[in-house]
Amino acid sequence: MNAPITKAEERRVAVVIVAAGRGERAGSAEGPKQYRTIDGRPVISRSIEVFLRHKAIGPVVVVIHPDDHELFAEAAGLLAKRVITVEGGATRQDSVRLGLQALREASPAKVLIHDAARPFVDSALVDRTIEAIGERQAALPALAVSDTLKRGGGDGTVSETVSRNGLYAAQTPQGFPFWPIHAAHMKAHHAGKTDFTDDAAIAEWTGIPVKLVEGSPVNIKLTWARDIEMADQRLSGTRFPDVRTGNGYDVHCFEEGDHVWLCGVKIPHGKKLSGHSDADVGLHALTDALLATRGAGDIGTHFPPSDPQWKGARSRIFVEHAASLVRAAGGRIANADITLICEAPRVGPHRAAMTAAISEMLGVDPGRISVKATTNEKLGFIGREEGIAAIATATVIYPGEVSA
């Protein structure tokens, strides 16, 4: 009987995304299919993001063609910094093996192997696949074949009708216990076996049982140029935009100290801000603004100040958590705007560093981040330099409803 991976190991799930092919059946004039755009975004970017935002996923390896480093960097954007990039081999099988080798030091409990040309995989399918992987058991998402199958004869006519009973169409991501599938690939490589059409077939060849899990009818592989056109049409112009704006406000008073944290940047100052965490007033306001677009409460709901684990914590943890909730709902952060209200310290010299820090936390282009400051004209507690306040606004685009 296959022992399940324990809950403690559940988060040690790695991913290998195979993106080294040339995609010639989709037409080579516009470049490999994984770098084509659908609804304005590269296919590979969509495929990577699904895994990066999943709570159970650890390291993600993307295997690319040796000639595609610039293409990948441009297509993946900021996501490229969050993955391990490996050059692939002459075949898909070679590329997967090289991707698995890149994970040996990490030694994950489980690994998912996914084709970059399947950009419509969803978190529910990822969950089902992960849950079905055992210590000596692989998991294969698949759909029962519904079309009538025919076998063609040599003269171009039908020679027989093939029973579809028990037949399934395989999908990715396919899931495996890491070291057994690594060993299986190495065994196939040393044996000169290069005719496997997917990784589940290699597992079967070495005696690893493969459990079928329910696939997804929308998890199609983009193979032909028409597939890409249809995917673009599916995403473009078929949904009403769901644009949400959230606001956040926070204030902290000063106490004895020699620095303040503002928007992720440590700034020398004659006082510090008082708070349970690092009291970064700008990031606290931004966290509330992001949570507001989900209707997900406020920062205190997720990180109560009564919880000792958050004492002295960096506030970027809060922002990254809020951003992950946004992405989990399919949201795309379009803009984040923060206004710091203080007499001192001066914000201008640190604005570029603040923008860069927030850009990294949110995984969006710096051009979508605005950080600015104003004084309170010497009025009130801010004017008396007793504290700092911040106002933040976040704009997020969520998947809309399909139009009639």
Side-chain angles (χ1 to χ4, degrees):
M1 182 174 178
N2 291 296
I5 300 297
T6 67
K7 287 295 181 184
E9 297 172 310
E10 192 71 28
R11 293 180 64 83
R12 293 179 53 225
V13 182
V15 179
V16 174
I17 299 177
V18 191
R22 299 289 81 195
E24 288 160 353
R25 285 179 288 181
S28 57
E30 297 178 39
K33 61 189 177 185
Q34 59 269 34
Y35 299 113
R36 309 274 186 91
T37 59
I38 52 176
D39 195 25
R41 289 187 63 196
V43 169
I44 194 169
S45 173
R46 293 177 178 275
S47 298
I48 293 171
E49 189 175 39
V50 171
F51 296 100
L52 287 180
R53 72 188 185 201
H54 194 285
K55 65 182 184 300
I57 300 302
V60 175
V61 173
V62 182
V63 188
I64 66 172
H65 192 278
D67 296 339
D68 289 350
H69 285 278
E70 288 186 13
L71 263 178
F72 175 72
E74 182 178 355
L78 291 171
L79 299 180
K81 298 179 180 180
R82 300 171 59 191
V83 302
I84 302 164
T85 308
V86 174
E87 291 186 357
T91 65
R92 182 190 183 282
Q93 188 175 320
D94 282 337
S95 294
V96 172
R97 174 176 55 82
L98 293 168
L100 292 172
Q101 286 181 310
L103 288 168
R104 286 178 299 182
E105 185 175 344
S107 188
K110 304 179 182 183
V111 64
L112 301 177
I113 302 173
H114 186 63
D115 293 325
R118 288 187 189 268
F120 298 121
V121 61
D122 57 41
S123 59
L125 176 56
V126 174
D127 287 339
R128 292 195 297 274
T129 306
I130 291 173
E131 289 169 6
I133 303 170
E135 188 177 347
R136 285 290 304 175
Q137 175 177 280
L140 173 67
L143 292 175
V145 173
S146 58
D147 293 330
T148 298
L149 300 176
K150 305 287 184 178
R151 178 172 285 113
D155 61 354
T157 62
V158 173
S159 63
E160 66 172 313
T161 298
V162 180
S163 172
R164 64 190 181 209
N165 290 338
L167 294 182
Y168 291 83
Q171 298 183 336
T172 68
Q174 297 177 6
F176 308 88
F178 176 73
W179 286 109
I181 192 62
H182 178 273
H185 264 278
M186 295 306 297
K187 181 178 179 180
H189 175 65
H190 292 308
K193 295 275 294 178
T194 60
D195 56 345
F196 296 104
T197 55
D198 71 355
D199 304 288
I202 296 178
E204 296 160 28
W205 175 65
T206 55
I208 300 172
V210 180
K211 181 179 178 61
L212 290 169
V213 297
E214 181 186 357
S216 168
V218 300
N219 183 30
I220 61 170
K221 185 176 181 181
L222 306 183
T223 302
W224 307 95
R226 180 57 180 159
D227 296 334
I228 298 171
E229 292 172 12
M230 291 178 67
D232 188 57
Q233 291 168 8
R234 170 187 165 191
L235 294 172
S236 306
T238 60
R239 296 182 180 272
F240 293 111
D242 183 5
V243 181
R244 306 183 193 179
T245 300
N247 294 316
Y249 174 81
D250 196 38
V251 60
H252 285 275
C253 65
F254 281 124
E255 63 181 17
E256 293 300 317
D258 59 7
H259 70 275
V260 293
W261 282 96
L262 289 176
C263 294
V265 176
K266 186 178 182 181
I267 302 173
H269 190 55
K271 302 174 183 179
K272 78 181 187 76
L273 291 171
S274 175
H276 188 63
S277 64
D278 63 9
D280 191 323
V281 64
L283 295 189
H284 291 187
L286 177 58
T287 300
D288 277 350
L290 290 166
L291 292 172
T293 69
R294 286 286 318 273
D298 60 15
I299 192 170
T301 305
H302 299 263
F303 304 96
S306 58
D307 190 335
Q309 72 173 307
W310 307 121
K311 184 173 178 58
R314 292 288 305 277
S315 295
R316 68 175 298 138
I317 296 171
F318 311 152
V319 173
E320 289 170 347
H321 172 74
S324 71
L325 293 180
V326 167
R327 288 192 294 268
R332 293 165 55 193
I333 300 170
N335 175 253
D337 176 43
I338 301 171
T339 301
L340 299 169
I341 309 168
C342 59
E343 302 296 328
R346 291 186 60 213
V347 170
H350 308 283
R351 183 178 287 111
M354 292 176 177
T355 300
I358 296 170
S359 171
E360 183 179 351
M361 294 175 212
L362 299 183
V364 302
D365 189 271
R368 296 183 179 275
I369 309 295
S370 171
V371 178
K372 54 191 184 297
T374 186
T375 70
N376 222 38
E377 298 294 340
K378 301 295 183 180
L379 300 175
F381 74 92
I382 293 175
R384 294 190 297 271
E385 299 190 34
E386 295 173 3
I388 296 178
I391 300 171
T393 302
T395 303
V396 178
I397 304 171
Y398 287 95
E401 295 181 359
V402 178
S403 61

